[in-house]
Amino acid sequence: MTPLKDLTCPRVLVLDPVHDDALERLRSIYDVRVRLRPPQEEVIDLASDVDAIIVRSGVRLPAEVFTRNPRLRVVARAGSGVDNIDVEAARAAGVQVFNVPGGSAGAVAELAVGLLLAVMRRISVADRQLRKGVWNKTAFEGDELAGKTLGLIGFGNIGSRIARITSGFTPHVLTAVANPSEARRIELADRGVHLVDLPTLLADSDAICVVVPLTAQTRGLIGAKELAAMRPGAYLVNVSRGEVVDELALVSALRDGVIAGAGLDVHNAEGSSSPFADLDNVLLTPHIGAMSADAQRAIGEIVVDSLTAALAGEDAANRVC
């Protein structure tokens, strides 16, 4: 029988799935309440009397979560980004927010490269046709990444890993970052990566991976103008957030042959039908970048350790505010 927790035991609300090992550890320490992916209108009430909340990308924490619960001390984002959390409201309420950007970086980078290779070689379309009994080998002439120029919009935990993974394919890697400087240029050059501005990256890259966080500055970063500036026959992969790319502009660019193809793991309206569903030159996945067993186990361990430290009054690793 599980022992009753002390009345002063911190209450932890889990609103998104975490690894089973992490959940077991949490339950051995805290009063844990699990309500996975509840309707958004229920979130404020669920969070009204807890000390800590664990989320991923599936649940939004608006300002009311922080203004209505003086007991709340910590929010843990079990993944990268905090765009689904009102960080300003959390800061004003004295609530510590942290995320785990490194735990899933390798998994997301591998998926990005997988999407890129698959869309360049039209693997998913070939698979679908063959399953229907259609053997149409000559219809699937694709492109190789070898010898091409790869552009990375963003060069953090994920971007740097993509560069490392693809180093055997291409010696030509460009990146555009939020705060370019001479020191950053030299640092990247030592890794064989050339720091350029976004227009240069768009014009000179055969394939582009978008790996930036969603902020006011990056929302809509890739729109019709940017897509038109890409090389004809280029490919785009987005593993950041759906709102970074203007989806309607991308649909038009793909239909009109402005670019050759795209691989999308993130979407504007996740959980609903996709505007790209009828396009054969797009490969779609349902935001599975971090969904490897290895990444989820690692993220779970970091979340429990950091949450425990934060509830004990220490600064958690990867603290946001």
Side-chain angles (χ1 to χ4, degrees):
M1 179 180 294
T2 303
L4 292 174
K5 300 290 190 299
D6 185 276
L7 291 176
T8 60
C9 181
R11 293 175 184 168
V12 177
L13 176 63
V14 180
L15 293 176
D16 276 305
V18 294
H19 195 274
D20 287 346
D21 292 351
L23 193 56
E24 184 177 345
R25 282 186 61 197
L26 286 168
R27 283 175 166 153
S28 72
I29 306 169
Y30 304 112
D31 176 6
V32 177
R33 302 174 180 183
V34 179
R35 180 74 164 87
L36 301 181
R37 305 280 171 85
Q40 190 61 45
E41 60 269 17
E42 296 180 14
V43 170
I44 295 170
D45 286 339
L46 288 168
S48 64
D49 62 347
V50 298
D51 299 273
I53 302 173
I54 297 175
V55 294
R56 286 170 54 186
S57 61
V59 176
R60 185 173 57 87
L61 299 184
E64 290 84 351
V65 166
F66 304 99
T67 58
R68 295 189 184 183
N69 180 11
R71 176 172 177 165
L72 185 60
R73 291 187 278 157
V74 183
V75 169
R77 168 70 163 84
S80 61
V82 289
D83 47 279
N84 57 322
I85 302 167
D86 191 324
V87 175
E88 291 302 319
R91 181 178 292 115
V95 176
Q96 184 178 165
V97 177
F98 70 87
N99 61 357
V100 187
S104 60
V108 177
E110 288 188 14
L111 180 72
V113 176
L115 286 171
L116 180 57
L117 295 175
V119 75
M120 291 181 77
R121 294 301 303 271
R122 305 188 66 196
I123 291 173
S124 65
V125 184
D127 173 78
R128 288 198 299 272
Q129 287 203 10
L130 192 56
R131 288 174 186 272
K132 295 176 181 178
V134 179
W135 186 280
N136 194 7
K137 182 176 179 178
T138 58
F140 293 104
E141 182 179 275
D143 293 304
E144 296 181 28
L145 180 58
K148 303 296 197 305
T149 298
L150 174 64
L152 299 172
I153 301 178
F155 202 83
N157 287 314
I158 298 170
S160 60
R161 283 170 170 82
I162 293 174
R164 194 177 311 136
I165 293 168
T166 57
S167 61
F169 291 92
T170 173
H172 310 293
V173 179
L174 309 178
T175 191
V177 300
N179 298 299
S181 66
E182 181 62 16
R184 186 72 161 138
R185 185 192 67 77
I186 294 170
E187 173 203 342
L188 291 169
D190 288 341
R191 302 189 193 188
V193 177
H194 303 283
L195 178 61
V196 296
D197 58 23
L198 183 58
T200 300
L201 184 146
L202 294 169
D204 292 353
S205 298
D206 300 291
I208 294 172
C209 292
V210 184
V211 285
V212 293
L214 177 62
T215 66
Q217 290 71 40
T218 62
R219 187 179 298 273
L221 180 67
I222 305 300
K225 175 183 175 183
E226 289 73 26
L227 292 164
M230 290 174 61
R231 284 182 174 179
Y235 296 85
L236 179 73
V237 167
N238 186 11
V239 291
S240 57
R241 289 293 184 269
E243 296 89 339
V244 174
V245 176
D246 182 331
E247 286 192 345
L248 294 180
L250 181 56
V251 167
S252 296
L254 290 163
R255 282 187 173 149
D256 297 342
V258 174
I259 65 173
L264 307 173
D265 185 46
V266 291
H267 314 272
N268 279 6
E270 299 197 341
S272 62
S273 59
S274 171
F276 302 96
D278 64 341
L279 298 178
D280 282 342
N281 56 347
V282 183
L283 181 56
L284 304 171
T285 50
H287 204 155
I288 60 171
M291 293 305 297
S292 74
D294 308 274
Q296 290 305 306
R297 185 175 294 106
I299 289 170
E301 291 178 0
I302 296 169
V303 164
V304 177
D305 290 343
S306 297
L307 186 69
T308 300
L311 287 173
E314 304 171 19
D315 271 351
N318 305 311
R319 179 174 180 170
V320 177
C321 68

